Amino acid sequence: MSENIVVVGANSGIAEALCRLLAERGCRLILAGRNLDQLERQAADLRIRYRAEVAIESFEALDFCSHPSFVDRCVRHFARDVTGFIVCYGYLPIQEETQRDGVTLRKAIDTNFTSVACLLNAAAAYLETRKAGYLAAISSVAGDRGRQSNYAYGAAKAGLSSYLQGLRNRGHHAGFRVLTIKPGMVDTPMTAGIVKAGSPLVSSPARVAQDIDRALRNRRDVIYTPGYWYYIMSIICNIPERLFKRLRL
Ligand SMILES: NC(=O)c1ccc[n+]([C@@H]2O[C@H](COP(=O)([O-])OP(=O)(O)OC[C@H]3O[C@@H](n4cnc5c(N)ncnc54)[C@H](OP(=O)(O)O)[C@@H]3O)[C@@H](O)[C@H]2O)c1
């Protein structure tokens, strides 16, 4: 049966690759984000390439009050039959700026945590009435342990991972599923100039998208992508704090 999926932050590097896989397997899509011109071009490409049914919707993460009506528009578009919401947007600040400037710090926390929690609340309320479907959101391995080089972003993602965990527990009893996605380093506009494409620990968006698509089909709870990040983070999380604080990470 064809799925009706809302992808929020659909023009992000990872989401773009994921949308291609979803369209290829016959899902109907709403691509949501704030750059409507880019979303329209992306939708046109998916329609031509895969004959997919694709619509676009405007979404601004920091406009919290608009989230319930955004969810409502998506639900009405799919005639009250949304299979899943996949949240893919995010913001990677320069850590030093978050230390100097409260506005940047707040933007990092609000974009990566508060707004996602707020959006998921509205989507969960809908799925609770449907008693089926899923929520999925991209967190990060950066949330597994705070490091001096990116702890503002990492703290927001840690909050998100924890929120998703609680939501999964609620969803289990209410009839919907929750997938937490924890990528390592991915070669996208977010990391341009920070990570080097082609280096061994940097993955392509296509590789990460394949893992996400498989996790959705296999009804997984939490994934690290690529999977070897699970082992890397197990080692990092097991370093005693008195040693960890001395490292320059
Ligand atoms: N790349 C990595 O190494 C990596 C690693 C771990 C986790 N992640 C996570 O993976 C997800 C996708 O990241 P990516 O690497 O694919 O990033 P990306 O290509 O840089 O895309 C970021 C997306 O977030 C959207 N966005 C930012 N602020 C927004 C706001 N206020 N309202 C609506 N949309 C907003 C951007 O929209 P505009 O185009 O309109 O700016 C863009 O679509 C993010 O959650 C990121 O934190 C990435």
Side-chain angles (χ1 to χ4, degrees):
M1 207 179 69
S2 170
E3 294 180 22
N4 298 330
I5 301 176
V6 182
V7 182
V8 192
N11 64 325
S12 78
I14 295 173
E16 248 193 283
L18 177 63
C19 287
R20 272 185 232 118
L21 296 178
L22 296 173
E24 194 172 13
R25 68 174 166 92
C27 299
R28 293 187 202 93
L29 300 175
I30 292 178
L31 311 183
R34 58 187 179 176
N35 186 338
L36 295 181
D37 289 342
Q38 201 179 341
L39 291 177
E40 194 43 78
R41 282 196 296 278
Q42 199 181 330
D45 180 67
L46 295 174
R47 288 182 200 118
I48 292 167
R49 219 182 270 269
Y50 307 110
R51 296 171 185 273
E53 276 183 47
V54 188
I56 64 167
E57 267 295 342
S58 168
F59 176 83
E60 164 54 63
L62 298 178
D63 183 5
F64 301 137
C65 296
S66 70
H67 294 183
S69 61
F70 164 75
V71 169
D72 217 48
R73 286 199 306 280
C74 295
V75 168
R76 276 190 278 116
H77 174 87
F78 284 134
R80 309 207 60 76
D81 187 24
V82 184
T83 318
F85 293 84
I86 308 176
V87 183
C88 298
Y89 63 84
Y91 164 59
L92 179 65
I94 296 168
Q95 173 60 32
E96 289 75 17
E97 262 182 41
T98 67
Q99 293 163 203
R100 277 194 302 270
D101 170 22
V103 174
T104 307
L105 175 61
R106 183 170 174 182
K107 182 177 162 189
I109 292 174
D110 280 354
T111 308
N112 293 305
F113 173 59
T114 325
S115 73
V116 187
C118 185
L119 170 62
L120 291 174
N121 260 355
Y126 160 71
L127 290 182
E128 219 159 29
T129 64
R130 191 175 179 259
K131 295 187 175 27
Y134 62 79
L135 303 171
I138 307 186
S139 184
S140 172
V141 296
D144 282 10
R145 192 154 194 183
R147 291 178 295 124
Q148 67 172 359
S149 58
N150 74 346
Y151 61 85
Y153 173 79
K157 291 295 195 181
L160 175 59
S161 295
S162 181
Y163 199 86
L164 291 168
Q165 197 168 37
L167 203 52
R168 181 176 307 112
N169 190 198
R170 169 181 162 196
H172 179 78
H173 300 284
F176 62 87
R177 290 175 287 121
V178 176
L179 169 65
T180 306
I181 301 152
K182 294 185 179 183
M185 289 180 283
V186 192
D187 177 22
T188 67
M190 180 174 280
T191 54
I194 302 174
V195 302
K196 226 166 136 197
S199 57
L201 286 181
V202 178
S203 309
S204 69
R207 165 70 207 272
V208 168
Q210 273 172 5
D211 284 351
I212 298 173
D213 185 42
R214 192 177 320 112
L216 291 171
R217 285 184 281 110
N218 293 341
R219 306 165 82 90
R220 295 279 306 274
D221 294 323
V222 182
I223 59 157
Y224 285 80
T225 168
Y228 55 73
W229 279 98
Y230 170 80
Y231 300 100
I232 294 174
M233 295 316 295
S234 300
I235 293 168
I236 289 181
C237 289
N238 277 301
I239 299 174
E241 192 63 22
R242 67 180 180 286
L243 290 181
F244 195 77
K245 71 181 180 190
R246 292 167 206 266
L247 303 177
R248 290 189 184 278
L249 290 171

